[in-house]
Amino acid sequence: MDILVVGAGATGGYFGGRLLQAGRDVTFLVRPARAQLLRERGLRIVGLGEDTVLEPALVETGSLDRTYDLVLLAVKATGLAAAIDDFAPAVGPGTLILPFLNGLAHVDVLDKRFGPDAVLGGVAKVQTTIDDDGAIRRLGPLQSLAYGARTEPAPGKLADVDAALTNAGFAAALDARITESMWAKWVFIAAIGAVNTLMRGTIGDVVAVPGGVEFAEAVVAEAAAVAAAAGYPVPAADLAATRKTVTDPAMGGSSLYRDLLGGHPVEGEQIFGDLTARARELGVATPLLDLVTLQLRVHQHRIG
């Protein structure tokens, strides 16, 4: 199975690199500046005692001249529209697209462009970031992919996708309830991001003060209520894990919070705007999540 990885950043670069290490047929679609850096320094995965340098096959945006069996899409939601135009030439009649983005808004966009039968559901969990020198730095041991069909019958090539992603140096699982899993992750990232954003502190900072734990749990309850009303209640084990994370004194800040503090664009609309819009349609009150959405919209307006 020939795989095109769209996005060689903290997520796409990491999992694409692992697939390359495992001998899979992987090509990265990258913009010229990233391509130049990867040609000069290689695709580096560092941290947790690792310093791996890979030399991946690259194709620059605007130069695609063939289709692929599988497109792994791992970009920020703010770059989705441009990424779709970039990889569209790689999509043929039998191509499957496996996106790993936050929220669910991207699914509607991809369905409209390529058809729902071509778009799988996916959940990526990994603790990585991009260093100033372009290396992918591991911040923790978490590294897993879940994926599955969103339509019936499932695409015939789904078994091939599973075979390609399995035994490649990270946990991989075919998930028969992938949409539910996507909702569960959405609740998780929204809860952490909301606690950080509203209180302007790490999880540890928030739960260290009176009322902090109760506040964090209230945020989780709001997000979980939206998922339940949408028909995808978060499984009890996942909900318990989310509550544990947002009340853990040792927890820091989410990637959204780091972007916020750094004055960078954030995925406010994709994580919170879409979630609160669905809440209104479903008649679910989300005052805390509404406030986060407003704060992040002000942030985006301020930075332009």
Side-chain angles (χ1 to χ4, degrees), residues 86-199:
D86 290 339
F87 77 76
V91 179
T95 302
L96 291 177
I97 303 166
L98 179 50
F100 295 110
L101 284 80
N102 292 324
L104 284 169
H106 64 282
V107 171
D108 295 334
V109 176
L110 291 166
D111 282 356
K112 184 176 180 180
R113 180 71 177 265
F114 302 105
D117 290 343
V119 183
L120 301 174
V123 173
K125 296 180 180 179
V126 66
Q127 296 163 292
T128 51
T129 189
I130 296 291
D131 282 351
D132 292 340
D133 64 357
I136 299 166
R137 178 166 296 277
R138 299 184 66 194
L139 303 176
L142 186 64
Q143 47 173 347
S144 70
L145 295 181
Y147 40 87
R150 299 170 37 252
T151 59
E152 292 290 344
K157 282 187 177 180
L158 185 57
D160 295 331
V161 172
D162 187 37
L165 299 182
T166 301
N167 297 320
F170 52 83
L174 187 59
D175 188 344
R177 306 179 71 175
I178 190 62
T179 302
E180 180 181 275
S181 297
M182 293 168 72
W183 268 99
K185 183 185 178 183
W186 195 0
V187 169
F188 177 81
I189 61 174
I192 296 177
V195 172
N196 292 148
T197 299
L198 283 178
M199 294 295 105

Side-chain angles (χ1 to χ4, degrees), residues 18 28 32-33 37 72-73 108 124 139-140 189 217-218 220 271 278-279:
R18 290 296 187 230
F28 288 85
L37 186 65
L72 293 185
L73 178 60
D108 295 334
L139 303 176
I189 61 174
E217 291 178 339
V220 175
I271 297 176
R278 293 175 193 245

